[in-house]
Amino acid sequence: MSINLTQQIKCPACQNLQEITLWQSITPTDSPDLKEDLLKGKINIFRCTSCGQIALVPMPVLYHDDKKKLMISFTPCEDDAKRVQLFNEIKATSKKSGELESLEDYNLRFVWSYNDFLEKILIFDNGLHDKVIELLKLLVLMQDTDNMPHRTCMFGKLDEDEIEFLVQDKKEEKLYTSRIPMSTYETVHTQLKQSGIKYKSFDWEMVDSDYASRMLYGMNNNL
């Protein structure tokens, strides 16, 4: 069930106080329009009616797609140490409550970036798996190792037989695209499965660029 609350938020720019609806839980099966707003970047986004300032409200959101057996816990956090702490807390809480037993066939994800949150939803909506996508993103960036430190790669879209990735270069302030055939995706999917990678979660996971690096160097998600 989708859950929200109403709060008074002060604009960080002009201090204008206004009321905003914040969402704590989103279940797309019950609220398809709410999911559409989320993917358009309209959920938990403060837009000041006085000065026009736009800012993300740091409200944790639990996304539960029971049809795709996908659950994403999104908690905005920029601090590395705090992020690890929050991740460990959700794992401990789920284990203690017995929640994991009812989510045995799910993919469980913990994310801290709003863009990563939306990306995860789009990946699974397209019938793809984020573990494969994260590895492909890393391989795309490794095509130009000199520029890797100031580049990021995101899933863009799935065409009939190709996956488009968006590569943002923060130094050059440019956006590039890179396309990978679906046949490459299928090959990597098979290879990861044969290496021991599980495509259903045994616990909450952070499947990101660090995870992809561990996969690339032969570590599976039991480690």
Side-chain angles (χ1 to χ4, degrees):
M1 181 176 69
S2 299
I3 301 172
N4 65 40
L5 56 84
T6 301
Q7 281 190 359
Q8 293 285 330
I9 301 293
K10 183 179 291 186
C11 176
C14 71
Q15 309 304 306
N16 174 54
L17 191 66
Q18 69 185 58
E19 193 173 86
I20 182 174
T21 298
L22 298 173
W23 291 91
Q24 299 170 297
S25 176
I26 297 176
T27 305
T29 304
D30 302 330
S31 313
D33 292 343
L34 187 59
K35 175 184 176 180
E36 184 176 344
D37 285 344
L38 173 63
L39 292 176
K40 290 180 179 178
K42 296 181 179 180
I43 298 299
N44 295 354
I45 300 295
F46 175 84
R47 290 176 171 81
C48 183
T49 56
S50 179
C51 72
Q53 176 75 13
I54 300 176
L56 172 67
V57 180
M59 169 69 71
V61 180
L62 182 67
Y63 180 88
H64 181 193
D65 189 330
D66 53 345
K67 287 186 176 180
K68 293 184 175 64
K69 293 189 178 297
L70 173 67
M71 187 174 286
I72 305 172
S73 177
F74 165 58
T75 302
C77 182
E78 296 294 334
D79 182 83
D80 290 344
K82 180 64 175 178
R83 197 156 60 235
V84 172
Q85 178 186 339
L86 291 169
F87 178 55
N88 289 333
E89 285 176 358
I90 191 173
K91 290 179 67 175
T93 300
S94 293
K95 185 176 181 180
K96 185 177 181 180
S97 67
E99 177 188 46
L100 287 177
E101 296 179 6
S102 63
L103 301 172
E104 184 177 354
D105 293 329
Y106 272 70
N107 279 296
L108 306 173
R109 298 292 182 263
F110 176 86
V111 298
W112 56 271
S113 160
Y114 193 76
N115 286 336
D116 289 346
F117 182 27
L118 303 187
E119 182 189 41
K120 291 292 182 193
I121 297 172
L122 289 174
I123 289 171
F124 283 97
D125 275 0
N126 279 275
L128 303 171
H129 202 284
D130 62 338
K131 292 182 179 180
V132 184
I133 293 296
E134 286 296 335
L135 186 52
L136 291 177
K137 285 163 58 177
L138 180 58
L139 294 176
V140 166
L141 292 176
M142 289 178 66
Q143 293 175 3
D144 188 352
T145 55
D146 291 340
N147 288 311
M148 277 187 69
H150 49 85
R151 285 184 174 180
T152 58
C153 184
M154 296 286 290
F155 169 78
K157 62 181 180 179
L158 172 65
D159 290 329
E160 291 185 2
D161 56 357
E162 288 186 322
I163 302 173
E164 181 181 271
F165 292 92
L166 305 176
V167 179
Q168 182 179 19
D169 191 307
K170 297 179 181 178
K171 183 178 180 180
E172 297 179 358
E173 297 184 348
K174 292 182 179 179
L175 187 67
Y176 302 93
T177 60
S178 180
R179 304 180 74 86
I180 290 181
M182 269 301 296
S183 58
T184 301
Y185 173 92
E186 296 296 346
T187 297
V188 173
H189 186 284
T190 300
Q191 290 175 342
L192 288 179
K193 187 175 183 180
Q194 291 173 346
S195 73
I197 293 294
K198 296 179 176 62
Y199 286 115
K200 296 293 182 182
S201 297
F202 58 91
D203 202 344
W204 287 93
E205 298 179 280
M206 282 196 288
V207 179
D208 52 17
S209 58
D210 289 338
Y211 185 95
S213 295
R214 295 197 299 272
M215 285 194 293
L216 186 62
Y217 291 103
M219 298 177 67
N220 64 40
N221 62 356
N222 281 310
L223 299 179

